[in-house]
Amino acid sequence: MAAAGGAGQEKQLAPTLLSFFIYNPKLGPKEGEEEKKILFYHPNEVEKNEKIRNVGLCEAIVQFTRTFSPTKPAKSLHTQKNRQFFHEPEENFWMVMVVRNPIIEKHKDGKPVYEYQEEELLDKVYSSVLQQCYSMYKLFNGTFLKAMEDGGVKVLKERLEKFFHRYLQTLHLQSCDLLDVFCGISFFPLDKMTYLKIQSFINRMEESLNIVKYTAFLYNDQLIWSGLEQDDMRILYKYLTTSLFPRHMEPELAGRDSPVRAEMPGNLQHYGRFLTGPLNLNDPEAKCRFPKIFVNTDDTYEELHLIVYKAMSAAVCFMIDASIPPTLEFCRKLDSIVGPQLTVLASDICEQYNINKRISGAEKEPQFKFIYFNHMNLAEKSTIHMRKTPSVSLASVHPDLMKILGDINSDFSRVDEDEEIIVKAMSDYWVVGKKSDQRELYVILNQKNANLIEVNEEVKKLCATQFNNIFFLD
């Protein structure tokens, strides 16, 4: 828990996960069978009757709200101490997340007094986090229904336990914000020539490794090319950038200058290595096990092996049909074909990127910070977040300002028209939200004595420099 020392003896306690459970009311319809409804419950050590009571309460809330809004039952419930979020990702399968409100702890006569801050949490942010829990589960396990078909409730419970036991530990609720609502993709800016090189590299690879169904190409944790459907890529991108890549940062930093293998006669030195799959290709016993992922679950339901291969700052994901187990021979072939070419390509991209950076001039710390999101291609850009650690995206602005951004976003989602909202926030800050067509831009300006007209001018200037090829309606 984050504790920030405030005035006197004040302490602030961040929001935390109180419980998370999944149930299906159809599984234990009779009295005395209530426990059968519960498919997963965290924390597990909660007493059985309390689990049953909490699930029953959620059922009642959902049923009660259905009478007012049959198609859209409850999304969240606000109480003094906590907030509950409900999500029905598949028919009759309910996911519930209970988050404790942030607390200010004060001392009165030597005793601690707790003040719950009921208005701090943004519904939309945490509802999005809950939806991502499902998307991430589905990426690696397929739907709940599929588990039921594979082996009934028993198999579903096992899969839920295995997945969520680990995944819930990665939820950093205290640093969730607007970016969790967008769950966007950061794209790497590229010139046409280099983009074409990457395109032709992918075509060559798919041809020589003919079992590859889809490919995705990333550089510096940013996406350049993907053959997947948008929604699948969105959640795979989140997995790669918040989980897989950070786990592999350490060894890379250690031996940055030496290629992974010694120079073979007639072989280019290359820096390629598998991030998923075999650790050592020279070991005849090496295991060629790759994580399975499920994509297009709405219509064709494809099960794939995920092969992630990296050279320097470039990473390429090859997805192959799960019915074909990749052999060590295939992995060696992939390594010998992809490794050298990806190494050359990675240094090309790096060179090109540095040239472009020099031309555009050094970025000096601007007067403003912004978040941009495009709903059409899920492109996201933020100068507010510094991704310092694998799991937490740290915002470099005050939490109160992040909350205003979230509030503006909620306003935007209520209307279809384009609009602009300008807010005068704490002492020196102005917050501007612009929604145009499918795009949203949020700007935080730090200008002491600025007035509305000046703020407007600054935002126009920002749009002209950062988004000159994007049409923002005035």
Side-chain angles (χ1 to χ4, degrees):
M1 279 186 222
Q9 283 290 294
E10 265 191 29
K11 216 161 64 166
Q12 200 155 11
L13 305 176
T16 50
L17 181 69
L18 287 180
S19 59
F20 179 98
F21 47 93
I22 299 169
Y23 69 91
N24 183 330
K26 294 276 182 281
L27 294 176
K30 295 197 184 86
E31 207 169 316
E33 290 185 348
E34 287 89 356
E35 200 185 357
K36 290 182 179 167
K37 297 174 187 177
I38 306 172
L39 297 163
F40 174 81
Y41 200 104
H42 163 89
N44 193 27
E45 47 282 1
V46 171
E47 206 256 336
K48 184 178 99 172
N49 286 333
E50 194 187 334
K51 289 181 186 175
I52 292 171
R53 199 172 64 236
N54 289 338
V55 167
L57 183 63
C58 291
E59 268 188 273
I61 292 163
V62 169
Q63 281 310 102
F64 175 68
T65 53
R66 261 196 214 282
T67 51
F68 302 101
S69 163
T71 50
K72 285 187 181 167
K75 281 268 175 25
S76 74
L77 172 74
H78 299 208
T79 64
Q80 181 199 357
K81 294 185 177 176
N82 58 43
R83 203 170 284 192
Q84 300 190 15
F85 299 93
F86 310 95
H87 179 43
E88 186 186 21
E90 297 174 39
E91 200 179 348
N92 291 317
F93 285 98
W94 285 89
M95 301 174 74
V96 181
M97 179 169 81
V98 185
V99 180
R100 196 204 61 204
N101 283 326
I103 297 175
I104 292 178
E105 184 188 314
K106 296 179 174 170
H107 284 272
K108 232 182 188 160
D109 310 326
K111 290 195 186 105
V113 181
Y114 298 110
E115 270 179 29
Y116 287 89
Q117 298 181 280
E118 293 174 53
E119 295 309 313
E120 285 307 296
L121 299 183
L122 290 170
D123 274 0
K124 212 169 162 197
V125 169
Y126 291 93
S127 292
S128 304
V129 169
L130 181 57
Q131 283 162 26
Q132 282 160 34
C133 287
Y134 173 71
S135 302
M136 199 64 88
Y137 168 86
K138 192 173 70 164
L139 179 69
F140 290 105
N141 298 281
T143 57
F144 295 160
L145 206 58
K146 172 147 195 320
M148 294 287 277
E149 286 162 5
D150 288 349
V153 173
K154 184 172 175 287
V155 167
L156 177 58
K157 280 184 167 177
E158 281 164 10
R159 286 183 193 171
L160 291 172
E161 178 60 44
K162 192 177 164 200
F163 177 80
F164 282 110
H165 176 68
R166 282 174 51 191
Y167 186 70
L168 292 179
Q169 295 168 16
T170 67
L171 293 183
H172 292 266
L173 297 181
Q174 70 280 13
S175 62
C176 294
D177 59 37
L178 189 58
L179 286 197
D180 292 280
V181 173
F182 294 145
C183 193
I185 295 172
S186 174
F187 287 93
F188 188 79
L190 262 194
D191 59 292
K192 285 193 183 71
M193 271 316 290
T194 319
Y195 185 74
L196 287 171
K197 276 185 194 167
I198 291 169
Q199 191 75 63
S200 84
F201 162 80
I202 290 170
N203 293 343
R204 284 197 309 274
M205 294 309 112
E206 288 188 345
E207 211 167 290
S208 41
L209 308 163
N210 53 11
I211 57 174
V212 171
K213 265 183 125 172
Y214 303 104
T215 309
F217 193 105
L218 296 95
Y219 187 85
N220 260 354
D221 289 9
Q222 292 176 299
L223 186 66
I224 291 178
W225 161 262
S226 156
L228 279 181
E229 284 292 322
Q230 229 177 26
D231 272 348
D232 290 326
M233 189 59 227
R234 166 187 239 169
I235 202 73
L236 177 61
Y237 177 80
K238 185 176 162 73
Y239 164 69
L240 294 171
T241 52
T242 60
S243 179
L244 184 68
F245 292 163
R247 279 211 303 273
H248 289 271
M249 276 309 282
E250 297 315 312
E252 213 174 74
L253 296 173
R256 205 56 213 259
D257 306 326
S258 55
V260 174
R261 52 188 67 59
E263 205 165 342
M264 313 272 276
N267 183 9
L268 266 166
Q269 279 190 335
H270 77 79
Y271 292 81
R273 62 197 180 92
F274 286 94
L275 295 195
T276 60
L279 288 171
N280 179 3
L281 290 171
N282 300 327
D283 173 7
E285 299 292 298
K287 295 269 187 290
C288 284
R289 276 212 292 269
F290 291 94
K292 271 187 190 167
I293 61 169
F294 294 82
V295 298
N296 292 323
T297 41
D298 290 344
D299 26 85
T300 48
Y301 216 96
E302 296 175 80
E303 199 173 329
L304 307 164
H305 286 294
L306 174 67
I307 301 174
V308 183
Y309 188 87
K310 192 170 187 196
M312 288 142 74
S313 294
V316 58
C317 307
F318 296 113
M319 287 151 263
I320 62 175
D321 197 321
S323 59
I324 311 166
T327 57
L328 189 57
E329 187 193 350
F330 171 78
C331 294
R332 284 181 178 151
K333 180 185 174 189
L334 186 147
D335 182 65
S336 65
I337 297 174
V338 179
Q341 296 196 41
L342 189 59
T343 302
V344 173
L345 200 49
S347 32
D348 278 2
I349 300 172
C350 181
E351 212 171 302
Q352 203 42 58
Y353 178 64
N354 288 334
I355 291 170
N356 292 350
K357 225 159 94 175
R358 277 207 301 281
I359 294 169
S360 64
E363 289 282 308
K364 48 183 193 298
E365 177 64 21
Q367 287 242 301
F368 37 71
K369 293 183 151 86
F370 68 85
I371 291 179
Y372 164 77
F373 181 68
N374 179 343
H375 289 270
M376 283 177 288
N377 62 356
L378 307 181
E380 158 183 296
K381 198 173 173 188
S382 165
T383 57
I384 286 174
H385 295 79
M386 315 159 291
R387 294 200 180 278
K388 284 267 195 305
T389 59
S391 40
V392 187
S393 69
L394 297 165
S396 56
V397 300
H398 195 281
D400 288 0
L401 291 170
M402 287 312 293
K403 185 168 183 293
I404 294 173
L405 295 188
D407 287 334
I408 294 176
N409 169 263
S410 298
D411 282 348
F412 282 167
S413 54
R414 279 198 276 275
V415 286
D416 291 332
E417 290 82 53
D418 295 347
E419 65 170 318
E420 182 172 44
I421 294 176
I422 300 182
V423 178
K424 175 84 170 82
M426 305 176 304
S427 55
D428 306 336
Y429 288 95
W430 288 82
V431 180
V432 181
K434 257 168 132 50
K435 178 184 173 193
S436 177
D437 200 13
Q438 294 280 310
R439 303 181 178 93
E440 296 179 26
L441 174 68
Y442 300 85
V443 186
I444 294 177
L445 296 137
N446 179 5
Q447 289 186 322
K448 235 190 174 115
N449 305 315
N451 59 30
L452 256 177
I453 295 164
E454 288 160 0
V455 168
N456 221 356
E457 281 306 309
E458 281 297 326
V459 174
K460 268 193 188 146
K461 252 189 259 171
L462 167 74
C463 290
T465 54
Q466 293 281 346
F467 305 105
N468 52 1
N469 52 352
I470 296 170
F471 178 59
F472 271 108
L473 298 171
D474 275 333

